[in-house]
Amino acid sequence: MKFYSTNNKALRVSFKDAVFNSLPADKGLYMPLEIPQLDPYFIKNIQQYSLQEIAFTIAQAFIEDDIPADVLRNIIADAINFDAPVKFLSSDTAVLELFHGPSYAFKDFGARFMSRVMAFFSGADDKLLDVLVATSGDTGGAVALGFLGVAGTRVTILYPKGKVSDIQELQLTTNGQNIRAIEIDGTFDDCQALVKRAFNDPELNEQLRLTSANSINIARLIPQTFYYFYAYAQLKAQGSDRVVFTVPSGNFGNIGAGLLAFKMGLPVEQFVAATNANDTVPRFIKSGKYEPKPSVQTLANAMDVGDPSNWVRIQDLFDYNLDNLKGMITTYTYTDKETRAAMEQLHHTYHYVACPHTAIAWLGSQAYRGEHPGSYGSVFLSTAHPCKFPDAISEQVFSKIKLPLGVEQLHNKDKVVEAFPVDYAVFKNYLITHK
Ligand SMILES: *Cc1c(COP(=O)(O)O)cnc(C)c1O
């Protein structure tokens, strides 16, 4: 499969190049030249397959020319080694839990798959692959744990001091092995600027083989389609084959993968994008005008994105046709107050403790059902384990959370972190002197 750029439909690059470049020089995003159509017979019988079997079938449809089948099968067995269960809260509303991977967030799907794909492609070269990543929280943990112990790779994570939760910080700083953490005395934007400057520094690129683990990487998008098919398989096993997915959205990568799955033949009735106050896409759907604005801070901070970078992919999937888009995507926006109330209500009504992102998705699914009564399965996506967001959840509800074993163990590990000011020379010197 070849890939083009959303800014240049005539461009053709290999999967390998798309993975290592992350984004084309023209600043568009890579898209598959053709959207593979899954065999209708496979979809009709999908409830017979495991998550790993489904994942392999989909991945092969994109990259069978690029990675040998037996290697791809191993990559998937190794990367997607945790479940994505659909759990029913009531007869017609279910939650798709995507937080059973090592960082307890859905980003594990993308990061774990991408790390192994990168390791495979760089296997022939003997130069270490240096991944630089700036994080405001969840991405860093998924990337760190995704690359942990993957041969031939090393990850350097920059995060803003005091601006990530305790568990997130432990996930970034207690790994050892091939993972290094740097705390920057600044903001997430400062971290991102330092990383960007490193990528554009010729001297550094001569000495190190740098790559980004950016969320717009095509190797992160493809594995996120897996769980949409798998959720549908689980519903089908229960006798239902009509589904509406509600996705808590920030950078619109998750829902973009859902829409890609739909274009591959997954029968989905509607997608609902639920956002926090960062409502650039909901405003666009209403007005047809794309007007990004600076991000505002909310309880659901992994969705605090004012200019969602994956949106152009979705536009491209729908040929930039607003009416077609509206036919498939409904949007809702929620305040922090509504998010808090939803977390309380989920706990009160269903004894379900949700993270703020998940609570926003639940609100969206309820709003859509209110406006479209009918007998379809309403599935909202749970993108993170609630234990990662202690400050956003009331103490009373938080006390009900059963901490995963891995989280308890984090507290016993040694924290190793460098602390730097916002100073490119200091960062660069560290990279050069710590090869
Ligand atoms: C990243 C993230 C989101 C947003 O996903 P996008 O793909 O950026 O729309 C939602 N919830 C959690 C917990 C996340 O980490």
Side-chain angles (χ1 to χ4, degrees):
M1 175 82 69
K2 293 271 190 260
F3 293 79
Y4 65 86
S5 163
T6 51
N7 282 346
N8 176 8
K9 294 229 161 181
L11 186 77
R12 297 289 176 267
V13 305
S14 68
F15 180 59
K16 179 179 173 177
D17 285 343
V19 169
F20 282 121
N21 297 342
S22 247
L23 75 168
D26 63 22
K27 302 277 157 68
L29 295 186
Y30 288 118
M31 286 295 280
L33 192 55
E34 293 145 48
I35 295 174
Q37 296 301 300
L38 292 191
D39 184 350
Y41 185 80
F42 172 77
I43 291 177
K44 196 157 167 269
N45 296 289
I46 197 162
Q47 70 277 15
Q48 299 172 1
Y49 298 99
S50 68
L51 170 58
Q52 287 73 20
E53 287 164 339
I54 291 171
F56 176 68
T57 302
I58 298 168
Q60 237 202 346
F62 283 102
I63 50 185
E64 64 184 337
D65 302 335
D66 308 272
I67 301 181
D70 55 332
V71 175
L72 189 57
R73 210 181 272 284
N74 288 338
I75 286 176
I76 282 172
D78 198 31
I80 315 297
N81 61 349
F82 51 91
D83 198 14
V86 168
K87 293 185 178 164
F88 283 82
L89 297 187
S90 66
S91 62
D92 56 13
T93 301
V95 52
L96 169 61
E97 291 185 346
L98 300 173
F99 56 70
H100 295 281
S103 84
Y104 311 111
F106 84 97
K107 290 184 173 76
D108 284 330
F109 282 87
R112 290 178 69 79
F113 183 79
M114 176 177 65
S115 62
R116 284 151 181 84
V117 164
M118 283 184 167
F120 166 72
F121 281 134
S122 66
D125 302 309
D126 48 6
K127 202 162 171 187
L128 191 69
L129 186 64
D130 254 303
V131 180
L132 303 184
V133 56
T135 185
S136 58
D138 263 3
T139 301
V143 170
L145 291 155
F147 278 90
L148 181 63
V150 174
T153 70
R154 175 171 60 190
V155 178
T156 308
I157 301 166
L158 279 68
Y159 68 94
K161 180 179 173 184
K163 296 195 175 71
V164 302
S165 81
D166 285 351
I167 290 178
Q168 286 174 332
E169 186 167 18
L170 287 170
Q171 284 182 341
L172 300 176
T173 56
T174 58
N175 295 296
Q177 296 187 53
N178 58 333
I179 312 295
R180 314 186 289 195
I182 301 175
E183 173 189 81
I184 298 292
D185 195 0
T187 63
F188 167 63
D189 289 340
D190 294 327
C191 297
Q192 205 158 29
L194 289 170
V195 166
K196 269 203 181 132
R197 201 161 153 195
F199 284 128
N200 293 324
D201 183 330
E203 194 193 341
L204 212 48
N205 278 284
E206 226 166 74
Q207 303 197 28
L208 302 169
R209 182 145 177 256
L210 296 178
T211 191
S212 92
N214 204 302
S215 74
I216 43 97
N217 197 297
I218 192 74
R220 283 177 65 167
L221 192 71
I222 292 171
Q224 289 178 180
T225 63
F226 301 164
Y227 48 74
Y228 286 95
F229 285 92
Y230 182 56
Y232 176 76
Q234 292 176 73
L235 285 188
K236 219 159 177 291
Q238 303 258 352
S240 160
D241 61 0
R242 293 179 57 204
V243 57
V244 171
F245 285 113
T246 304
V247 188
S249 297
N251 228 346
F252 281 73
N254 194 354
I255 197 169
L259 290 158
L260 180 59
F262 165 71
K263 291 279 180 179
M264 293 170 75
L266 183 68
V268 179
E269 218 140 294
Q270 189 72 3
F271 286 90
V272 178
T275 75
N276 57 27
N278 295 282
D279 61 350
T280 299
V281 168
R283 285 184 291 112
F284 170 77
I285 295 283
K286 268 200 202 87
S287 69
K289 285 194 211 114
Y290 189 79
E291 293 173 325
K293 56 181 194 189
S295 65
V296 293
Q297 205 178 334
T298 75
L299 283 182
N301 59 20
M303 287 157 45
D304 293 347
V305 183
D307 186 3
S309 44
N310 277 291
W311 182 245
V312 60
R313 277 205 168 112
I314 295 175
Q315 292 265 56
D316 192 86
L317 274 178
F318 286 85
D319 298 323
Y320 299 85
N321 181 314
L322 185 61
D323 289 330
N324 290 352
L325 255 174
K326 279 185 178 170
M328 230 25 238
I329 309 179
T330 304
T331 60
Y332 298 103
T333 295
Y334 297 99
T335 63
D336 276 357
K337 196 169 165 221
E338 290 167 315
T339 307
R340 273 187 219 280
M343 288 189 284
E344 295 293 329
Q345 205 186 338
L346 272 166
H347 180 248
H348 183 256
T349 312
Y350 303 110
H351 304 291
Y352 193 77
V353 183
C355 84
H357 315 80
T358 304
I360 286 176
W362 177 68
L363 285 171
S365 74
Q366 296 306 101
Y368 185 80
R369 184 171 285 289
E371 290 173 11
H372 304 83
S375 59
Y376 58 84
S378 186
V379 176
F380 64 97
L381 276 58
S382 176
T383 44
H385 193 288
C387 73
K388 296 184 86 174
F389 301 93
D391 297 340
I393 301 177
S394 74
E395 259 175 52
Q396 194 231 336
V397 174
F398 196 81
S399 67
K400 300 285 167 22
I401 297 177
K402 216 178 117 214
L403 283 189
L405 190 63
V407 168
E408 307 229 10
Q409 288 166 348
L410 276 178
H411 293 280
N412 304 326
K413 292 187 180 169
D414 291 331
K415 199 171 136 183
V416 179
V417 57
E418 305 280 344
F420 293 168
V422 183
D423 182 339
Y424 180 68
V426 173
F427 175 49
K428 178 175 176 176
N429 182 54
Y430 171 81
L431 291 176
I432 289 178
T433 54
H434 291 75
K435 283 189 290 198

